[in-house]
Amino acid sequence: MKYTLNQLQIFVAVAQTKSITKASEELNLTQPAVSIQIKNFQSQFDLPLIEILGKKVYLTDFGKEIAISAHEIIDQVNAINDKMKAFKGQLFGRLKISIVSTGKYVIPYFLSGFLKENPRVELSMDVSNRGKVIESLEKNEVDFSLVSIPIDGNNYEYMELLNNELYLVGNPELLSQNPGFNQKQLPSNLPFIFRESGSGTRKTMEYFLKNQEIQITKKIELMSNEAVKQAAIAGLGYSIMPIIGIKNEIQNGSLVIIPHQGLPITTQWKLVWNLNKKHSPVSEAFLQFVAQNKELISKKYFS
């Protein structure tokens, strides 16, 4: 077989995006160029790698196995290149991280100093909900993920960064309209605002409501923390939110913390990676940087 590294990279991109069009955009190539390379790559195998129905690409079972192997080969080639540059005194390569949406208020402070010290390191960061973050770990698509709730199973290692506190919040005018509500029953005249299914915040909220035996009669479901925050500010309802994302709103009075038994809920922000992950020089250096500086960063930015 005479497949090239370029063909492996193109096939992996098509396998991950399930689309010739998206893969061409990601690789900054034309669609015909991607199609030709996929065709040339396929010609070296007796079994089909993909099936195209309409505009969507589906991997065959054989194709899925080849995609895993191709991804591992590319990782090894990148590791070789990174090690060569590391021996020249340069930390060079890409750091790949997936984070839950609220993590955007946390991870930049742990990345900033590292990237300033290592200007040749590139960052690839995906912000998504908890379900997709876990999926990226399972597929070994990232070096690290940032979560606030531990992932089920024993296949991961963690490094604790800082506490994540969640409070019940709402528009201050709502409190004046509902001065004394029952600790087992939130005000029934307005909805409770939830994140979408798959969100770690949603999972934490549901556990709290069940544990406190709180009955919710109305609810709104929104797809991001920012949408939840704006809905709460507008007086559409109440929500339980991480304090890290609403500090400014608490300070300026557009949101207020509503005291309630069992609150705040405290979880922990954790950097997580696969148990048997073979770290690249870049990811190993980042892990060491965080371990050495996490207490200082936490004290400086999150006290």
Side-chain angles (χ1 to χ4, degrees):
M1 290 188 177
K2 298 180 180 181
Y3 48 77
T4 66
L5 181 61
N6 184 48
Q7 288 174 343
L8 292 175
Q9 291 171 326
I10 290 174
F11 179 65
V12 167
V14 170
Q16 289 177 342
T17 62
K18 305 289 193 301
S19 167
I20 299 292
T21 300
K22 291 180 181 178
S24 65
E25 292 173 353
E26 184 177 289
L27 297 168
N28 198 26
L29 297 171
T30 65
Q31 292 185 40
V34 171
S35 296
I36 289 171
Q37 291 301 320
I38 290 295
K39 183 177 180 180
N40 292 340
F41 187 58
Q42 172 65 79
S43 68
Q44 301 179 71
F45 299 92
D46 295 330
L47 297 174
L49 299 170
I50 62 173
E51 296 175 345
I52 300 178
L53 301 177
K55 294 184 178 181
K56 192 165 185 180
V57 174
Y58 297 88
L59 267 68
T60 64
D61 289 341
F62 178 63
K64 292 177 182 176
E65 294 297 323
I66 296 300
I68 292 172
S69 297
H71 196 285
E72 291 174 349
I73 291 171
I74 293 169
D75 281 348
Q76 287 300 314
V77 171
N78 290 336
I80 290 171
N81 292 334
D82 293 345
K83 286 178 181 178
M84 178 187 69
K85 291 163 184 171
F87 271 98
K88 291 181 178 180
Q90 303 174 357
L91 191 59
F92 195 105
R94 176 171 293 186
L95 181 65
K96 295 175 287 185
I97 300 178
S98 62
I99 67 172
V100 294
S101 58
T102 313
K104 63 180 178 285
Y105 300 109
V106 176
I107 199 64
Y109 297 97
F110 291 88
L111 287 166
S112 178
F114 176 75
L115 294 177
K116 287 177 181 177
E117 288 181 6
N118 303 283
R120 293 179 178 272
V121 172
E122 298 179 358
L123 173 66
S124 175
M125 185 166 70
D126 180 47
V127 183
S128 190
N129 67 28
R130 175 181 165 83
K132 291 182 179 179
V133 165
I134 294 174
E135 183 180 353
S136 70
L137 270 177
E138 291 175 342
K139 292 183 177 179
N140 198 33
E141 295 174 350
V142 295
D143 298 308
F144 304 104
S145 291
L146 182 70
V147 298
S148 60
I149 303 174
I151 302 172
D152 294 337
N154 300 315
N155 299 323
Y156 306 100
E157 289 190 73
Y158 297 89
M159 181 184 292
E160 296 178 352
L161 302 184
L162 67 153
N163 287 343
N164 179 42
E165 295 184 339
L166 295 90
Y167 291 84
L168 176 64
V169 297
N171 183 303
E173 294 182 7
L174 298 183
L175 280 184
S176 61
Q177 298 168 8
N178 301 275
F181 56 82
N182 190 300
Q183 290 286 308
K184 294 289 185 181
Q185 180 74 48
L186 294 178
S188 59
N189 62 321
L190 285 173
F192 202 81
I193 308 171
F194 286 84
R195 281 288 306 278
E196 80 284 3
S197 296
S199 159
T201 301
R202 167 73 172 260
K203 186 175 182 180
T204 301
M205 288 167 58
E206 290 179 333
Y207 176 81
F208 168 77
L209 294 171
K210 181 179 180 181
N211 188 53
Q212 293 290 321
E213 299 180 355
I214 298 174
Q215 302 298 316
I216 300 299
T217 57
K218 301 178 183 177
K219 69 179 180 179
I220 295 174
E221 184 175 295
L222 299 175
M223 298 297 290
S224 72
N225 281 323
E226 186 62 29
V228 172
K229 180 168 69 176
Q230 294 303 323
I233 291 172
L236 294 182
Y238 303 88
S239 190
I240 293 176
M241 300 192 69
I243 192 69
I244 200 168
I246 55 173
K247 284 184 177 180
N248 290 339
E249 289 70 24
I250 296 297
Q251 289 174 355
N252 65 31
S254 56
L255 285 176
V256 293
I257 293 174
I258 304 170
H260 200 282
Q261 65 181 31
L263 292 174
I265 304 167
T266 301
T267 61
Q268 282 199 319
W269 288 108
K270 296 181 176 69
L271 202 63
V272 54
W273 61 95
N274 284 313
L275 181 63
N276 297 315
K277 178 73 175 177
K278 295 180 180 178
H279 288 295
S280 68
V282 169
S283 62
E284 182 65 36
F286 178 66
L287 200 59
Q288 292 177 4
F289 175 86
V290 173
Q292 293 169 2
N293 294 278
K294 64 178 184 176
E295 291 184 9
L296 178 63
I297 293 170
S298 178
K299 183 177 180 180
K300 183 175 180 180
Y301 296 107
F302 301 103
S303 293

